[in-house]
Amino acid sequence: MILTRTVAEARAAITAATADLTHLAPRVGLVPTMGALHAGHGALLAQAREENDVVVVSVFVNPLQFEDPDDFAHYPRTLNEDVALIAEHVPDRPVIVFAPDTAEMYPGYRAFGDVPQITVSSGSMGTVFEGASRPGHFDGVCTVVTKLWNTLMPPAPATLRSYFGRKDAQQLAILTRTAADLNIPVEIRPVDLVRAPSGLALSSRNRRLDDHGMDKALILSAALSTLREQAVSGEPIDVHTARKMIDDDATVTLDYLEVVDPATLVPLSAAELRAPLSRDALALVAAVVPPVRLIDNMVLPAG
Ligand code: PAF
């Protein structure tokens, strides 16, 4: 494993690693992270290892996607543990870790709140759902990921794939659109969401739930599963009743539950929901199960 701290070091390491390979077109798999790696990242690393000749992992806590300076300051920074977890998941491929400091990623950066002159906008996809309660968050994500792709793009004929979890469905849709709209030659590879046997989507936030909270949280996946069953059996999609399942629990506060186009995040019309689905859709939900805000999503297949 090679640990790089600067753009120049990372580029040199990727060039050397791909030049060493005898393949006509070596495949490089990038897993962008903010560090503090856990089992969820393990799935991203495992898929990147499986599908590529070289694995690159970026570890960078991106100030542009935080609103609160305290959250940014206290975000866990655990590079030594992260490196150990990466080595465990990718034991048999060349691995390059890119862990720049803030000034390396954003030249001229002095303090929290500084934003580069030129950034990438997430457009209207970034102001709905999670973006509605976190203004600027997805612009920050688009800006840093575009910079990572530009920095870590291997020289031709090697190709780049970039791995994102389906758990953050909105982030995945926005970054897929970013690559397409900006003509960035990167293949986006989604990694399936992992559920506990209870149905609960795995998330590092679940650690903050007690047994009662864990129980309450199951209503999110239960509501989504009801919608999925309706889609699978070609019935109308009853979003109203699914919302009511969550609203009926006084301890859980629903933020949104919508059925949307997976690529554009535009909600399906009432007419589309009244008939068997004519195209795949995505059900998105967010709710506060005190003390945490949880998100979940499920694909609703066309009937
Ligand atoms: O999902 C994350 O951890 C971050 O949003 C990402 C993609 C690494 C960008 O900072």
Side-chain angles (χ1 to χ4, degrees):
M1 171 168 331
I2 302 177
L3 177 61
T4 62
R5 296 299 204 154
T6 66
V7 168
E9 282 169 12
R11 285 189 172 144
I14 292 171
T15 302
T18 52
D20 275 354
L21 294 165
T22 48
H23 272 288
L24 279 182
R27 295 155 305 181
V28 177
L30 167 65
V31 181
T33 81
M34 296 210 298
L37 303 186
H38 52 71
H41 294 101
L44 300 175
L45 294 168
Q47 192 169 325
R49 176 205 154 269
E50 175 88 30
E51 297 181 351
N52 297 284
D53 305 298
V54 175
V55 173
V56 180
V57 183
S58 61
V59 177
F60 177 65
V61 185
N62 174 30
L64 266 56
Q65 64 190 85
F66 287 78
E67 273 167 84
D68 179 352
D70 271 359
D71 283 352
F72 173 66
H74 293 118
Y75 195 88
R77 286 152 171 95
T78 55
L79 187 59
N80 290 341
E81 288 89 329
D82 294 343
V83 164
L85 189 134
I86 296 165
E88 202 179 295
H89 281 83
V90 194
D92 52 358
R93 300 273 187 283
V95 180
I96 296 153
V97 175
F98 176 49
D101 64 15
T102 319
E104 179 69 15
M105 235 8 222
Y106 296 115
Y109 182 93
R110 288 156 304 136
F112 186 87
D114 279 358
V115 173
Q117 187 66 230
I118 309 297
T119 57
V120 179
S121 161
S122 55
S124 58
M125 291 173 82
T127 58
V128 290
F129 305 121
E130 290 309 289
S133 51
R134 304 174 76 180
H137 169 77
F138 286 113
D139 292 350
V141 172
C142 288
T143 300
V144 79
V145 173
T146 300
K147 287 172 71 81
L148 290 169
W149 288 334
N150 284 339
T151 302
L152 305 170
M153 184 66 63
T159 55
L160 183 68
R161 291 176 169 150
S162 193
Y163 290 78
F164 300 100
R166 287 193 195 274
K167 170 83 186 349
D168 292 314
Q170 185 171 7
Q171 171 170 282
L172 172 63
I174 291 173
L175 290 172
T176 303
R177 188 65 184 259
T178 305
D181 282 2
L182 299 181
N183 295 342
I184 300 174
V186 58
E187 181 188 345
I188 307 294
R189 301 290 296 156
V191 177
D192 284 345
L193 180 158
V194 185
R195 290 185 188 280
S198 63
L200 185 67
L202 294 193
S203 158
S204 45
R205 294 181 189 188
N206 297 352
R207 267 183 268 161
R208 297 175 55 210
L209 293 170
D210 58 16
D211 287 350
H212 179 71
M214 286 276 192
D215 240 37
K216 294 283 165 195
L218 296 182
I219 194 67
L220 271 67
S221 53
L224 295 177
S225 298
T226 303
L227 295 174
R228 187 176 159 83
E229 280 156 27
Q230 291 165 354
V232 169
S233 20
E235 291 167 29
I237 305 299
D238 188 354
V239 183
H240 178 74
T241 305
R243 285 190 191 123
K244 193 164 172 317
M245 280 173 71
I246 299 176
D247 276 335
D248 279 352
D249 189 328
T251 52
V252 179
T253 309
L254 177 63
D255 182 349
Y256 59 78
L257 191 161
E258 282 293 348
V259 174
V260 303
D261 178 296
T264 63
L265 305 177
V266 173
L268 269 59
S269 68
E272 276 184 291
L273 296 174
R274 271 197 301 271
L277 287 181
S278 59
R279 52 185 170 133
D280 286 355
L282 185 68
L284 298 174
V285 66
V288 177
V289 181
V292 288
R293 186 168 182 286
L294 297 176
I295 57 170
D296 197 352
N297 66 84
M298 230 174 250
V299 172
L300 310 185

